[in-house]
């Protein structure tokens, strides 16, 4: 099974709402990632978890809060977002090590109104 | 710093003709190079990677890539294009320090029947 699942597929939220994005993988990967992608642009790395610990935060605003409850799950908690945060949010996972490819989920299309 | 460049925003090719999507890289040390494809409103799908060894790498869906160290290139190729190959293609390099992928800007491939 090489599948990364993400829920929900679509999310519309107001600027005062609190919501969460969820990601799950059962490939035994110990590295998990959150990316933000604007239309027809490359994904921008937000966070990296390695062995359930946050290892990289790419200077992401605090209105985005990641969480890794266990080795299979990754959450992204959203609060007080801005309209410019509207994007496709992608989760990925991989084995740790330079030679391993990342497997991406289908993404959550987020619209902030 | 590790980086990749995709010099073409868009590549147009007729169905049945060979296709090439270009990528050049700049790395210190040995490069770990990847190609991904993204269909509309979907996540990225891994196509192939170069880690070491044979300069011609074969991947999914009939794609292959040629690693050229002297030209610092890693071009994606397919002998006979299909309309269904039309998508957005990203070249990426693994950053040596940190669990990160650095993506190129992406190339839109349009295959016309």
């Amino acid at each position: 099974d090489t599948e990364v699942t993400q829920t929900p597929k679509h999310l519309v939220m107001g600027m005062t709402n609190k919501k969460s994005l969820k990601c799950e993988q059962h490939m035994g990967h110990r590295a998990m990632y959150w990316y933000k992608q604007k239309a027809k642009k490359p994904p921008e790395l937000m966070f990296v978890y390695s062995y359930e610990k946050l290892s990289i935060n790419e200077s992401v605003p605090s209105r985005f809060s990641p969480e890794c409850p266990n080795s299979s799950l990754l959450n992204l908690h959203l609060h007080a977002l801005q309209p410019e945060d509207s994007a496709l949010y992608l989760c990925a996972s991989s084995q740790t090590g330079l030679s391993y490819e990342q497997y991406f989920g289908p993404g959550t299309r987020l619209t902030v109104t | 710093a590790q980086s990749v460049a995709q010099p073409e925003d868009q590549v147009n090719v007729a169905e049945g003709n060979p296709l090439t999507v270009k990528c050049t890289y700049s790395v210190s040390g040995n490069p770990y190079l990847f190609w991904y494809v993204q269909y509309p409103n979907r996540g990225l799908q891994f196509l192939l990677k170069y880690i070491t060894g044979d300069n011609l790498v074969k991947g999914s869906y009939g794609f292959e890539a040629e690693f050229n160290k002297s030209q610092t290139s890693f071009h994606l190729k397919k002998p006979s294009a299909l309309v269904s190959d039309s998508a957005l293609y990203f070249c990426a390099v693994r950053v040596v320090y940190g669990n990160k992928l650095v993506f190129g800007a992406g190339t839109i491939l349009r295959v016309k029947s």
Side-chain angles (χ1 to χ4, degrees):
Chain A
D1 182 8
T2 58
E3 188 178 24
V4 176
T5 59
Q6 290 187 244
T7 55
K9 290 184 179 180
H10 301 275
L11 179 62
V12 180
M13 58 185 293
M15 291 188 286
T16 59
N17 291 159
K18 286 184 180 181
K19 297 287 185 182
S20 296
L21 309 184
K22 297 183 184 301
C23 173
E24 189 167 7
Q25 57 90 13
H26 294 286
M27 294 177 277
H29 293 166
R30 302 308 296 274
M32 296 186 76
Y33 313 79
W34 280 116
Y35 289 88
K36 174 184 177 182
Q37 187 183 27
K38 293 283 195 178
K40 297 185 179 180
K41 297 294 185 183
E44 301 171 28
L45 182 66
M46 300 174 72
F47 303 103
V48 180
Y49 274 83
S50 182
Y51 295 94
E52 295 92 69
K53 294 189 187 304
L54 183 64
S55 60
I56 296 177
N57 177 339
E58 293 286 90
S59 303
V60 178
S62 60
R63 57 185 184 269
F64 295 91
S65 176
E67 178 194 22
C68 189
N70 59 56
S71 60
S72 299
L73 294 174
L74 188 65
N75 298 322
L76 186 63
H77 303 296
L78 315 172
H79 174 56
L81 295 191
Q82 304 297 310
E84 59 265 28
D85 297 322
S86 298
L88 183 67
Y89 287 83
L90 295 166
C91 174
S93 71
S94 74
Q95 297 185 53
T96 56
L98 295 175
S99 64
Y100 295 107
E101 60 274 20
Q102 294 181 16
Y103 291 89
F104 285 79
T108 294
R109 175 72 61 189
L110 174 66
T111 302
V112 182
T113 61
Chain B
Q2 326 284 76
S3 66
V4 290
Q6 295 181 242
E8 301 156 317
D9 292 335
Q10 183 166 317
V11 170
N12 298 310
V13 64
E15 187 175 31
N17 282 1
L19 69 86
T20 298
V21 183
K22 295 180 180 178
C23 173
T24 59
Y25 65 88
S26 174
V27 302
S28 52
N30 294 323
Y32 297 86
L33 298 161
F34 302 80
W35 274 103
Y36 287 84
V37 60
Q38 186 174 31
Y39 297 98
N41 299 310
R42 303 285 297 277
L44 278 68
Q45 295 179 33
F46 168 72
L47 283 177
L48 50 80
K49 64 183 178 183
Y50 174 81
I51 304 302
T52 187
D54 194 349
N55 290 341
L56 186 63
V57 179
K58 294 189 181 298
S60 306
Y61 313 120
F63 284 94
E64 57 191 27
E66 186 171 9
F67 173 73
N68 187 317
K69 188 173 183 178
S70 63
Q71 297 185 5
T72 62
S73 66
F74 188 54
H75 300 332
L76 182 70
K77 300 184 179 187
K78 188 173 183 182
S80 179
L82 300 172
V83 172
S84 57
D85 292 329
S86 299
L88 178 57
Y89 290 78
F90 291 105
C91 181
V93 63
R94 198 65 177 257
V95 173
V96 174
Y97 299 105
N99 214 357
K100 295 172 58 171
L101 274 179
V102 174
F103 288 90
T107 298
I108 296 171
L109 173 66
R110 296 202 192 280
V111 182
K112 296 185 178 180
S113 58

